Amino acid sequence: MARLVDNPELAFRLARAIVSDIALYNQDKVREGIMKDNIFELLGEEIEEGREHFRSRIVPDLENPDHLFDRAIVDVMIKQAGKIESPIW
């Protein structure tokens, strides 16, 4: 069994890797979600599955794990889609 991550910086890197995989395997949904401003509805299941995977890989008492995962979503999925035409920009 893999060792659980207890360092917030490493946990953030893990979150970014997980979100990167979600974005990679769901490129069409990301594009559509940005264009239609409903990315969290379109990718809700995938994001929740990624969040659960993230939680399973970190120590239970890590401070603000949801904040780290949400930041990774913004950094990896949202910011990198900035070139997509959207009403949210």
Side-chain angles (χ1 to χ4, degrees), residues 1 3 14 16 18 22 29 34 39 41 43-45 53 55-56 58-60 66-67 69 72-73 76 78-79 87:
M1 183 172 170
R3 205 179 109 205
L14 172 62
R16 287 177 55 91
I18 292 169
I22 294 169
K29 282 185 177 181
I34 293 294
I39 193 165
E41 289 82 17
L43 286 168
E45 188 175 313
H53 178 65
R55 287 180 184 148
S56 76
I58 61 172
V59 294
D66 287 331
H67 175 73
F69 195 81
I73 291 171
V76 174
I78 308 297
K79 283 184 182 176

mmCIF file of all heavy atoms in Angstrom, residues 1 3 14 16 18 22 29 34 39 41 43-45 53 55-56 58-60 66-67 69 72-73 76 78-79 87:
data_model
loop_
_atom_site.group_PDB
_atom_site.id
_atom_site.type_symbol
_atom_site.label_atom_id
_atom_site.label_comp_id
_atom_site.label_asym_id
_atom_site.label_seq_id
_atom_site.Cartn_x
_atom_site.Cartn_y
_atom_site.Cartn_z
ATOM 1 N N MET A 1 0.842 -1.180 0.000
ATOM 2 C CA MET A 1 0.000 0.000 0.000
ATOM 3 C C MET A 1 0.893 1.251 0.000
ATOM 4 O O MET A 1 1.890 1.329 0.694
ATOM 5 C CB MET A 1 -0.906 -0.008 1.231
ATOM 6 C CG MET A 1 -1.864 1.139 1.269
ATOM 7 S SD MET A 1 -3.036 0.894 2.615
ATOM 8 C CE MET A 1 -3.798 2.467 2.604
ATOM 9 N N ARG A 3 2.226 4.980 0.727
ATOM 10 C CA ARG A 3 2.241 5.828 1.904
ATOM 11 C C ARG A 3 1.330 7.032 1.679
ATOM 12 O O ARG A 3 1.307 7.599 0.583
ATOM 13 C CB ARG A 3 3.666 6.307 2.155
ATOM 14 C CG ARG A 3 3.898 6.658 3.607
ATOM 15 C CD ARG A 3 5.306 7.096 3.830
ATOM 16 N NE ARG A 3 5.179 8.535 4.090
ATOM 17 C CZ ARG A 3 6.108 9.417 3.892
ATOM 18 N NH1 ARG A 3 7.261 9.052 3.410
ATOM 19 N NH2 ARG A 3 5.911 10.671 4.151
ATOM 20 N N LEU A 14 -0.275 16.358 -5.893
ATOM 21 C CA LEU A 14 -1.090 15.177 -6.163
ATOM 22 C C LEU A 14 -2.454 15.589 -6.720
ATOM 23 O O LEU A 14 -2.931 15.020 -7.706
ATOM 24 C CB LEU A 14 -1.268 14.349 -4.885
ATOM 25 C CG LEU A 14 -2.243 13.183 -4.969
ATOM 26 C CD1 LEU A 14 -1.780 12.142 -5.995
ATOM 27 C CD2 LEU A 14 -2.422 12.560 -3.587
ATOM 28 N N ARG A 16 -3.212 18.313 -8.315
ATOM 29 C CA ARG A 16 -3.016 18.815 -9.684
ATOM 30 C C ARG A 16 -2.862 17.657 -10.672
ATOM 31 O O ARG A 16 -3.394 17.709 -11.774
ATOM 32 C CB ARG A 16 -1.800 19.740 -9.748
ATOM 33 C CG ARG A 16 -2.032 21.091 -9.097
ATOM 34 C CD ARG A 16 -0.769 21.952 -9.113
ATOM 35 N NE ARG A 16 -0.234 22.104 -10.444
ATOM 36 C CZ ARG A 16 -0.539 23.095 -11.290
ATOM 37 N NH1 ARG A 16 -1.379 24.042 -10.918
ATOM 38 N NH2 ARG A 16 0.011 23.156 -12.490
ATOM 39 N N ILE A 18 -4.128 14.624 -10.392
ATOM 40 C CA ILE A 18 -5.437 13.982 -10.536
ATOM 41 C C ILE A 18 -6.342 14.821 -11.426
ATOM 42 O O ILE A 18 -6.990 14.303 -12.344
ATOM 43 C CB ILE A 18 -6.069 13.736 -9.148
ATOM 44 C CG1 ILE A 18 -5.263 12.676 -8.383
ATOM 45 C CG2 ILE A 18 -7.543 13.324 -9.287
ATOM 46 C CD1 ILE A 18 -5.632 12.546 -6.915
ATOM 47 N N ILE A 22 -8.148 14.118 -15.143
ATOM 48 C CA ILE A 22 -9.569 14.342 -15.425
ATOM 49 C C ILE A 22 -9.710 15.197 -16.676
ATOM 50 O O ILE A 22 -10.499 14.885 -17.575
ATOM 51 C CB ILE A 22 -10.275 15.008 -14.224
ATOM 52 C CG1 ILE A 22 -10.311 14.060 -13.028
ATOM 53 C CG2 ILE A 22 -11.696 15.445 -14.612
ATOM 54 C CD1 ILE A 22 -10.757 14.729 -11.728
ATOM 55 N N LYS A 29 -15.610 17.502 -22.748
ATOM 56 C CA LYS A 29 -16.475 18.006 -21.680
ATOM 57 C C LYS A 29 -15.923 19.305 -21.088
ATOM 58 O O LYS A 29 -16.683 20.203 -20.747
ATOM 59 C CB LYS A 29 -16.639 16.973 -20.573
ATOM 60 C CG LYS A 29 -17.607 15.864 -20.882
ATOM 61 C CD LYS A 29 -17.772 14.981 -19.654
ATOM 62 C CE LYS A 29 -18.778 13.894 -19.857
ATOM 63 N NZ LYS A 29 -18.929 13.060 -18.637
ATOM 64 N N ILE A 34 -16.661 24.917 -20.336
ATOM 65 C CA ILE A 34 -16.167 26.297 -20.323
ATOM 66 C C ILE A 34 -17.024 27.156 -21.245
ATOM 67 O O ILE A 34 -17.439 28.263 -20.888
ATOM 68 C CB ILE A 34 -14.675 26.355 -20.745
ATOM 69 C CG1 ILE A 34 -13.794 25.670 -19.699
ATOM 70 C CG2 ILE A 34 -14.224 27.787 -20.986
ATOM 71 C CD1 ILE A 34 -13.735 26.350 -18.343
ATOM 72 N N ILE A 39 -19.299 23.672 -16.416
ATOM 73 C CA ILE A 39 -18.253 22.657 -16.287
ATOM 74 C C ILE A 39 -18.442 21.767 -15.057
ATOM 75 O O ILE A 39 -18.211 20.566 -15.105
ATOM 76 C CB ILE A 39 -16.840 23.290 -16.318
ATOM 77 C CG1 ILE A 39 -15.787 22.205 -16.499
ATOM 78 C CG2 ILE A 39 -16.583 24.140 -15.090
ATOM 79 C CD1 ILE A 39 -14.437 22.717 -16.888
ATOM 80 N N GLU A 41 -21.254 20.961 -13.624
ATOM 81 C CA GLU A 41 -22.360 20.045 -13.850
ATOM 82 C C GLU A 41 -21.931 18.921 -14.795
ATOM 83 O O GLU A 41 -22.210 17.748 -14.550
ATOM 84 C CB GLU A 41 -23.578 20.774 -14.428
ATOM 85 C CG GLU A 41 -24.279 21.689 -13.446
ATOM 86 C CD GLU A 41 -23.615 23.061 -13.315
ATOM 87 O OE1 GLU A 41 -22.810 23.441 -14.202
ATOM 88 O OE2 GLU A 41 -23.880 23.752 -12.319
ATOM 89 N N LEU A 43 -18.894 17.787 -15.465
ATOM 90 C CA LEU A 43 -17.832 16.941 -14.932
ATOM 91 C C LEU A 43 -18.022 16.602 -13.459
ATOM 92 O O LEU A 43 -17.078 16.163 -12.799
ATOM 93 C CB LEU A 43 -16.472 17.628 -15.126
ATOM 94 C CG LEU A 43 -15.952 17.632 -16.549
ATOM 95 C CD1 LEU A 43 -14.771 18.570 -16.695
ATOM 96 C CD2 LEU A 43 -15.563 16.236 -16.974
ATOM 97 N N GLY A 44 -19.225 16.789 -12.955
ATOM 98 C CA GLY A 44 -19.483 16.553 -11.535
ATOM 99 C C GLY A 44 -19.071 15.174 -11.052
ATOM 100 O O GLY A 44 -18.406 15.038 -10.020
ATOM 101 N N GLU A 45 -19.433 14.166 -11.799
ATOM 102 C CA GLU A 45 -19.114 12.787 -11.398
ATOM 103 C C GLU A 45 -17.601 12.551 -11.428
ATOM 104 O O GLU A 45 -17.040 11.970 -10.494
ATOM 105 C CB GLU A 45 -19.816 11.812 -12.343
ATOM 106 C CG GLU A 45 -19.726 10.375 -11.912
ATOM 107 C CD GLU A 45 -20.542 9.469 -12.823
ATOM 108 O OE1 GLU A 45 -21.710 9.802 -13.115
ATOM 109 O OE2 GLU A 45 -19.981 8.438 -13.234
ATOM 110 N N HIS A 53 -10.525 9.998 -4.766
ATOM 111 C CA HIS A 53 -9.207 9.388 -4.952
ATOM 112 C C HIS A 53 -8.142 10.202 -4.214
ATOM 113 O O HIS A 53 -7.277 9.640 -3.533
ATOM 114 C CB HIS A 53 -8.877 9.286 -6.448
ATOM 115 C CG HIS A 53 -7.536 8.718 -6.717
ATOM 116 N ND1 HIS A 53 -7.190 7.426 -6.395
ATOM 117 C CD2 HIS A 53 -6.424 9.277 -7.255
ATOM 118 C CE1 HIS A 53 -5.933 7.211 -6.725
ATOM 119 N NE2 HIS A 53 -5.442 8.321 -7.256
ATOM 120 N N ARG A 55 -8.562 12.146 -1.598
ATOM 121 C CA ARG A 55 -8.731 11.937 -0.153
ATOM 122 C C ARG A 55 -8.175 10.593 0.295
ATOM 123 O O ARG A 55 -7.689 10.465 1.420
ATOM 124 C CB ARG A 55 -10.202 12.031 0.228
ATOM 125 C CG ARG A 55 -10.745 13.431 0.191
ATOM 126 C CD ARG A 55 -12.205 13.447 0.585
ATOM 127 N NE ARG A 55 -12.771 14.777 0.464
ATOM 128 C CZ ARG A 55 -14.025 15.022 0.136
ATOM 129 N NH1 ARG A 55 -14.857 14.019 -0.107
ATOM 130 N NH2 ARG A 55 -14.463 16.253 0.056
ATOM 131 N N SER A 56 -8.250 9.592 -0.572
ATOM 132 C CA SER A 56 -7.750 8.264 -0.210
ATOM 133 C C SER A 56 -6.225 8.210 -0.182
ATOM 134 O O SER A 56 -5.656 7.275 0.378
ATOM 135 C CB SER A 56 -8.274 7.209 -1.194
ATOM 136 O OG SER A 56 -7.584 7.265 -2.434
ATOM 137 N N ILE A 58 -4.252 10.905 0.920
ATOM 138 C CA ILE A 58 -3.692 11.850 1.898
ATOM 139 C C ILE A 58 -4.069 11.413 3.307
ATOM 140 O O ILE A 58 -5.027 10.664 3.503
ATOM 141 C CB ILE A 58 -4.186 13.300 1.642
ATOM 142 C CG1 ILE A 58 -5.701 13.396 1.760
ATOM 143 C CG2 ILE A 58 -3.696 13.805 0.288
ATOM 144 C CD1 ILE A 58 -6.265 14.795 1.725
ATOM 145 N N VAL A 59 -3.306 11.909 4.287
ATOM 146 C CA VAL A 59 -3.635 11.605 5.680
ATOM 147 C C VAL A 59 -4.978 12.247 6.023
ATOM 148 O O VAL A 59 -5.299 13.330 5.515
ATOM 149 C CB VAL A 59 -2.530 12.089 6.657
ATOM 150 C CG1 VAL A 59 -1.244 11.308 6.452
ATOM 151 C CG2 VAL A 59 -2.285 13.579 6.555
ATOM 152 N N PRO A 60 -5.774 11.608 6.858
ATOM 153 C CA PRO A 60 -7.108 12.122 7.176
ATOM 154 C C PRO A 60 -7.114 13.504 7.837
ATOM 155 O O PRO A 60 -8.084 14.251 7.695
ATOM 156 C CB PRO A 60 -7.682 11.082 8.138
ATOM 157 C CG PRO A 60 -6.865 9.858 7.931
ATOM 158 C CD PRO A 60 -5.519 10.314 7.464
ATOM 159 N N ASP A 66 -10.047 19.927 0.771
ATOM 160 C CA ASP A 66 -10.952 20.342 -0.301
ATOM 161 C C ASP A 66 -10.468 21.629 -0.962
ATOM 162 O O ASP A 66 -10.602 21.796 -2.175
ATOM 163 C CB ASP A 66 -12.385 20.509 0.205
ATOM 164 C CG ASP A 66 -13.046 19.163 0.473
ATOM 165 O OD1 ASP A 66 -12.690 18.172 -0.193
ATOM 166 O OD2 ASP A 66 -13.929 19.104 1.343
ATOM 167 N N HIS A 67 -9.891 22.513 -0.174
ATOM 168 C CA HIS A 67 -9.343 23.751 -0.733
ATOM 169 C C HIS A 67 -8.200 23.435 -1.702
ATOM 170 O O HIS A 67 -8.113 24.023 -2.777
ATOM 171 C CB HIS A 67 -8.866 24.671 0.390
ATOM 172 C CG HIS A 67 -8.191 25.905 -0.104
ATOM 173 N ND1 HIS A 67 -8.874 26.940 -0.690
ATOM 174 C CD2 HIS A 67 -6.879 26.253 -0.137
ATOM 175 C CE1 HIS A 67 -8.019 27.882 -1.052
ATOM 176 N NE2 HIS A 67 -6.796 27.483 -0.723
ATOM 177 N N PHE A 69 -7.770 20.687 -3.437
ATOM 178 C CA PHE A 69 -8.313 20.072 -4.645
ATOM 179 C C PHE A 69 -9.020 21.118 -5.504
ATOM 180 O O PHE A 69 -8.864 21.134 -6.724
ATOM 181 C CB PHE A 69 -9.261 18.921 -4.283
ATOM 182 C CG PHE A 69 -9.566 18.038 -5.448
ATOM 183 C CD1 PHE A 69 -8.673 17.049 -5.850
ATOM 184 C CD2 PHE A 69 -10.739 18.191 -6.168
ATOM 185 C CE1 PHE A 69 -8.951 16.249 -6.942
ATOM 186 C CE2 PHE A 69 -11.026 17.384 -7.258
ATOM 187 C CZ PHE A 69 -10.127 16.407 -7.645
ATOM 188 N N ALA A 72 -6.569 23.162 -7.361
ATOM 189 C CA ALA A 72 -6.031 22.401 -8.487
ATOM 190 C C ALA A 72 -6.999 22.450 -9.672
ATOM 191 O O ALA A 72 -6.564 22.576 -10.815
ATOM 192 C CB ALA A 72 -5.763 20.954 -8.064
ATOM 193 N N ILE A 73 -8.289 22.388 -9.410
ATOM 194 C CA ILE A 73 -9.284 22.489 -10.485
ATOM 195 C C ILE A 73 -9.140 23.824 -11.196
ATOM 196 O O ILE A 73 -9.109 23.893 -12.426
ATOM 197 C CB ILE A 73 -10.716 22.308 -9.947
ATOM 198 C CG1 ILE A 73 -10.935 20.864 -9.501
ATOM 199 C CG2 ILE A 73 -11.752 22.708 -11.001
ATOM 200 C CD1 ILE A 73 -12.246 20.633 -8.762
ATOM 201 N N VAL A 76 -5.513 23.960 -13.040
ATOM 202 C CA VAL A 76 -5.272 23.008 -14.124
ATOM 203 C C VAL A 76 -6.396 23.024 -15.155
ATOM 204 O O VAL A 76 -6.130 23.033 -16.351
ATOM 205 C CB VAL A 76 -5.089 21.577 -13.561
ATOM 206 C CG1 VAL A 76 -4.990 20.561 -14.675
ATOM 207 C CG2 VAL A 76 -3.866 21.522 -12.667
ATOM 208 N N ILE A 78 -9.450 25.170 -15.253
ATOM 209 C CA ILE A 78 -10.101 26.435 -15.616
ATOM 210 C C ILE A 78 -9.120 27.412 -16.265
ATOM 211 O O ILE A 78 -9.355 27.889 -17.369
ATOM 212 C CB ILE A 78 -10.767 27.090 -14.384
ATOM 213 C CG1 ILE A 78 -11.689 26.105 -13.649
ATOM 214 C CG2 ILE A 78 -11.492 28.366 -14.789
ATOM 215 C CD1 ILE A 78 -12.865 25.614 -14.438
ATOM 216 N N LYS A 79 -8.013 27.703 -15.604
ATOM 217 C CA LYS A 79 -7.054 28.669 -16.155
ATOM 218 C C LYS A 79 -6.513 28.233 -17.503
ATOM 219 O O LYS A 79 -6.337 29.054 -18.395
ATOM 220 C CB LYS A 79 -5.890 28.888 -15.184
ATOM 221 C CG LYS A 79 -6.216 29.776 -14.026
ATOM 222 C CD LYS A 79 -4.980 30.010 -13.182
ATOM 223 C CE LYS A 79 -5.290 30.861 -11.977
ATOM 224 N NZ LYS A 79 -4.095 30.997 -11.118
ATOM 225 N N PRO A 87 -18.648 32.936 -21.948
ATOM 226 C CA PRO A 87 -19.234 34.115 -21.298
ATOM 227 C C PRO A 87 -18.664 34.358 -19.892
ATOM 228 O O PRO A 87 -18.901 35.415 -19.313
ATOM 229 C CB PRO A 87 -20.725 33.760 -21.221
ATOM 230 C CG PRO A 87 -20.780 32.276 -21.229
ATOM 231 C CD PRO A 87 -19.610 31.843 -22.066
#
